[in-house]
Amino acid sequence: MSFFSKSRSSKQSHYKNGNNGSNHYQKSGFLGNLFNALGSRSRSNRYYQNYPTQQPDYPMTNQSASSQNAMACKKCNARIPAGSKFCLECGEKVSAGLFCLECGEKLPPKAKFCLKCGTKING
Amino acid sequence: MPFFKNYIGKQYGDYTLLKLIGEGRYGLCFLAQSHSGIPVVIKRFKPRIFKKNKDKNMFEAVILSQLHHQSIPELLGVINEKSFYGFVLEQKHGDTVQSLLFKKKHRFTSKEIYLIGYQLINIIQYLHGHGVVHRDIRIPNVIINSDKVYLVDFGLARWADNSCYKYDVDYSYLGDFLLYLIYSSFKKQKMKRTPWYDELSLTNDQMLFLKRLLRLTDPYESINEIKKDFVKAFSIEK
Ligand SMILES: Nc1ncnc2c1ncn2[C@@H]1O[C@H](COP(=O)(O)OP(=O)(O)O)[C@@H](O)[C@H]1O
Ligand SMILES: [Mg+2]
């Protein structure tokens, strides 16, 4: 068993360790809190060090977050990542609900279907 | 020196901060109130980490903007004032599983484990159905209010792909999460460090289910399959 688990997950340690017992599950409340309170760096270390291929500008496969259909904020002119309901710089609300829930494409007012992926828009 | 006290009573945008309700590695969460008295949660990012993750911070906002589920907090706004950067979130009332386990010493019955697990699997099913991997399904990020389950903290959530961000990370976190619930009523006998599968008394179905989630044997490939097996292994109507 443990051989199997190691061979599968040693290189991808972003999976949870499957071999813990009561030492772990009945104690980590305290350690967990301590960990949170010490804060800051631990999260990125713990999660990101296992991703040698994960660069900051990792190409997004999902259309809704690709830069091509990002918009400029009407108020502060900052770039708003496509799909966001708010400008992440000034907090300005992006005209409500005018994005396709499937692909993130901006929708014209009263659209019945997304012009990009064809998803039906509910009223 | 509770430094967060400096923020209590302060006004940001439309909101007044009332009290600190939670802390994670990324942020401090405050209960806040709008002019009109509507309670919300404001997640204030720790500036140092926020800077460090500059390109990734937007995922939480974009992904939350796209999700609409009663067990997931709605994104209500963004605050950016001087050294205060935060998201305004719908408040989900209740206790985190972390606090139920380690502060309130709650022991989860098998019925509760079933009800909680089932709802959490439904939430994961919704997320995966919308192309989102949460990547941080842990006891401080799951909130319980009597029988209702909520999933918060989309700070590590990403659009799934076939390389870096795979759905099966959530399966392994689900397995780990369920073990916390199960261990709440476990009484340790030996002092030795023992893995869960040698220590807990579980049915064969439960054992196999958890081993597959935790990738100790033939891993699961879809959340639908997980849901089916969970019901089979943990449903108490037998
Ligand atoms: N929408 C919410 N409603 C109620 N409590 C919340 C909400 N969001 C976060 N919290 C509380 O605040 C804590 C920290 O927030 P979280 O988003 O997990 O921050 P971090 O990314 O730093 O872990 C959570 O563990 C939870 O207790
Ligand atoms: Mg958290």
Side-chain angles (χ1 to χ4, degrees), chain B:
Chain B
M1 51 121 246
F3 62 96
F4 64 85
K5 282 264 157 77
N6 296 335
Y7 295 108
I8 306 300
K10 291 263 163 65
Q11 179 109 9
Y12 293 98
D14 215 20
Y15 305 95
T16 311
L17 303 192
L18 302 177
K19 65 171 185 177
L20 186 75
I21 55 165
E23 173 170 11
R25 280 164 286 178
Y26 256 42
L28 293 178
C29 282
F30 295 93
L31 181 64
Q33 203 173 39
S34 71
H35 285 312
S36 41
I38 298 167
V40 295
V41 166
I42 295 186
K43 175 171 178 175
R44 191 226 173 195
F45 291 87
K46 298 175 180 174
R48 204 154 49 92
I49 318 177
F50 191 76
K51 276 215 193 88
K52 210 170 123 189
N53 290 299
K54 223 168 183 306
D55 311 297
K56 299 185 186 120
N57 294 317
M58 59 115 174
F59 286 114
E60 183 165 7
V62 171
I63 288 174
L64 280 178
S65 292
Q66 302 289 314
L67 299 176
H68 305 280
H69 190 283
Q70 53 178 4
S71 293
I72 297 168
E74 194 88 33
L75 179 68
L76 302 173
V78 173
I79 291 173
N80 190 2
E81 289 183 16
K82 289 170 214 149
S83 61
F84 192 105
Y85 190 92
F87 291 156
V88 185
L89 299 163
E90 175 194 359
Q91 184 190 13
K92 293 302 189 188
H93 296 269
D95 297 294
T96 63
V97 172
Q98 169 150 299
S99 132
L100 287 172
L101 284 173
F102 297 108
K103 283 211 187 98
K104 305 204 166 167
K105 309 277 179 212
H106 184 78
R107 289 186 184 178
F108 290 92
T109 64
S110 42
K111 186 177 173 198
E112 287 171 329
I113 294 174
Y114 179 70
L115 290 174
I116 293 166
Y118 189 76
Q119 288 180 69
L120 193 55
I121 289 170
N122 281 334
I123 301 170
I124 300 171
Q125 204 170 23
Y126 171 82
L127 292 177
H128 292 187
H130 285 75
V132 173
V133 211
H134 186 280
R135 300 173 69 235
D136 207 15
I137 301 171
R138 291 182 300 120
I139 51 172
N141 295 333
V142 177
I143 293 179
I144 308 234
N145 190 358
S146 55
D147 277 347
K148 281 289 294 160
V149 176
Y150 303 97
L151 181 62
V152 301
D153 193 359
F154 283 68
L156 287 180
R158 296 291 183 269
W159 303 110
D161 58 29
N162 273 319
S163 50
C164 282
Y165 305 119
K166 300 201 291 181
Y167 293 122
D168 59 10
V169 176
D170 284 349
Y171 309 161
S172 109
Y173 276 66
L174 174 67
D176 193 69
F177 175 89
L178 291 171
L179 282 173
Y180 273 101
L181 302 186
I182 296 168
Y183 264 107
S184 67
S185 56
F186 175 80
K187 287 213 182 63
K188 198 174 171 60
Q189 267 136 34
K190 296 170 287 182
M191 282 316 287
K192 257 187 76 196
R193 189 180 277 265
T194 316
W196 61 271
Y197 41 82
D198 292 334
E199 194 169 60
L200 295 174
S201 44
L202 298 169
T203 67
N204 290 342
D205 281 348
Q206 292 172 340
M207 189 73 88
L208 181 63
F209 174 76
L210 291 167
K211 280 189 174 172
R212 290 187 67 187
L213 284 181
L214 286 159
R215 311 176 69 79
L216 298 174
T217 184
D218 176 34
Y220 278 111
E221 297 196 347
S222 83
I223 189 69
N224 298 344
E225 201 186 351
I226 290 172
K227 186 169 175 177
K228 210 178 71 210
D229 282 3
F230 177 77
V231 171
K232 193 169 137 224
F234 286 87
S235 164
I236 16 86
E237 282 137 40
K238 276 186 199 143

Side-chain angles (χ1 to χ4, degrees), chain A residues 27-46:
Chain A
K27 257 192 227 155
S28 13
F30 170 67
L31 286 177
N33 284 330
L34 196 67
F35 191 53
N36 280 343
L38 293 175
S40 56
R41 259 178 261 176
S42 30
R43 179 181 231 171
S44 26
N45 287 346
R46 186 164 154 223

